[in-house]
């Protein structure tokens, strides 16, 4: 367990998240947001663990900017900015929902409160299902709905989803938290009118390596090596490739690698009734006496 790297990455992720929280993003494009937030992570000495997600309104997760993405933030938008920092592959994953329209403050608050209540009960041996129950109870008490098919996850070196899930609703069974393992907890909250589930959208703009097996296409294999050297098995965006390749060529090579199953593409996730979604997230490491929340603000 590289606690030191986890804590370092967490401190950087927390600083950047707090900067994101107080900044006025209205009128900015999602391209500007993603690039600025990623640069802040790098400036502080970490690498990005994945492309910054800027998921607006009913899009719950997994939207990152396309190259020169023109989508612009309006003052009625609810924007979930999910960011990750990594040091030597040890990840801090954290998120905040920014909102400039008071009518959605309750949603944002419910996500933050559910996260806070979850963090305050954590220590080694606590059941993931009990964390889910706390999250669900908190959200429902405030008059909202948790999203049932999104969950937190265990983390490992160069691995964002390391096999274990931390649910946002009560569920039967499940595992108990082990000491010195890193996890991310991320309540997603939606309205009473929502279905409380997400479905896959048509847009896919986050990718990750599946295999490093050569394809016999020289340029595609060059791209495979580039991804491996820069991202390892962690997710990446097309934006990150256009520094080395023309956008059109990068897109074609990426499509080729997806067809060859060397790369996988992740769809955006949309609330089934197209209701708005808020999110809050921390990375934490349980111990006997409680918990180290690596992404806690100073």
């Amino acid at each position: 367990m590289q606690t030191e790297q986890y804590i370092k990455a967490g401190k950087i992720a927390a600083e950047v998240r707090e900067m994101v929280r107080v900044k006025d993003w209205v009128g900015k494009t999602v391209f500007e947001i993603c690039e600025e937030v990623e640069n802040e992570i790098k400036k502080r000495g970490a690498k990005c663990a994945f492309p910054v997600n800027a998921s607006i309104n009913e899009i719950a997760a997994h939207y990152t900017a396309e190259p020169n993405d023109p989508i612009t933030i309006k003052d009625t938008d609810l924007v979930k900015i999910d960011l990750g920092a990594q040091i030597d592959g040890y990840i801090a994953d954290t998120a905040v929902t920014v909102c400039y329209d008071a009518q959605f403050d309750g949603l944002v608050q419910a996500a933050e409160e559910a996260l806070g209540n979850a963090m305050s009960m954590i220590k080694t041996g606590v059941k993931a299902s009990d964390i889910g129950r706390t999250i669900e109870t908190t959200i429902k008490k405030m008059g909202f709905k948790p999203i049932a098919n999104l969950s937190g996850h265990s983390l490992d070196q160069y691995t964002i989803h390391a096999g274990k899930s931390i649910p946002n609703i009560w569920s039967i069974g499940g595992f108990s938290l082990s000491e010195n393992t890193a996890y991310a907890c991320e309540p997603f909250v939606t309205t009473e009118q929502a279905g409380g589930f997400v479905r896959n959208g048509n847009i896919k703009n986050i990718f990750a390596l599946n295999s490093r097996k050569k394809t016999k296409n020289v340029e595609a294999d060059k791209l495979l090596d580039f991804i491996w050297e820069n991202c390892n098995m962690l997710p990446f965006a097309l934006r990150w490739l256009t520094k080395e390749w023309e956008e059109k060529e990068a897109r074609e090579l990426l499509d080729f690698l997806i067809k060859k199953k060397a790369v996988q593409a992740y769809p955006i996730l949309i609330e089934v009734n197209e209701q708005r979604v808020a999110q809050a997230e921390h990375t934490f490491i349980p111990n006997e006496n409680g918990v180290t929340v690596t992404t806690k603000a100073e």
Side-chain angles (χ1 to χ4, degrees), residues 1-10 86-88 90-91:
M1 173 75 185
Q2 301 307 96
T3 312
E4 204 179 305
Q5 276 100 321
Y6 273 121
I7 286 173
K8 231 192 231 166
Q86 58 106 346
I87 289 175
D88 303 329
Y90 297 100
I91 298 163

Side-chain angles (χ1 to χ4, degrees), residues 48-74:
C48 296
F50 51 84
V52 165
N53 289 207
S55 306
I56 302 171
N57 299 336
E58 72 279 3
I59 299 172
H62 294 175
Y63 188 93
T64 193
E66 293 287 346
N68 304 314
D69 200 317
I71 294 171
T72 304
I73 304 305
K74 302 191 289 295

Side-chain angles (χ1 to χ4, degrees), residues 177-196:
L177 299 180
S178 36
E179 187 155 15
N180 293 335
T181 302
Y183 303 91
C185 177
E186 45 182 330
F188 284 87
V189 182
T190 186
T191 65
E192 281 278 67
Q193 296 76 46

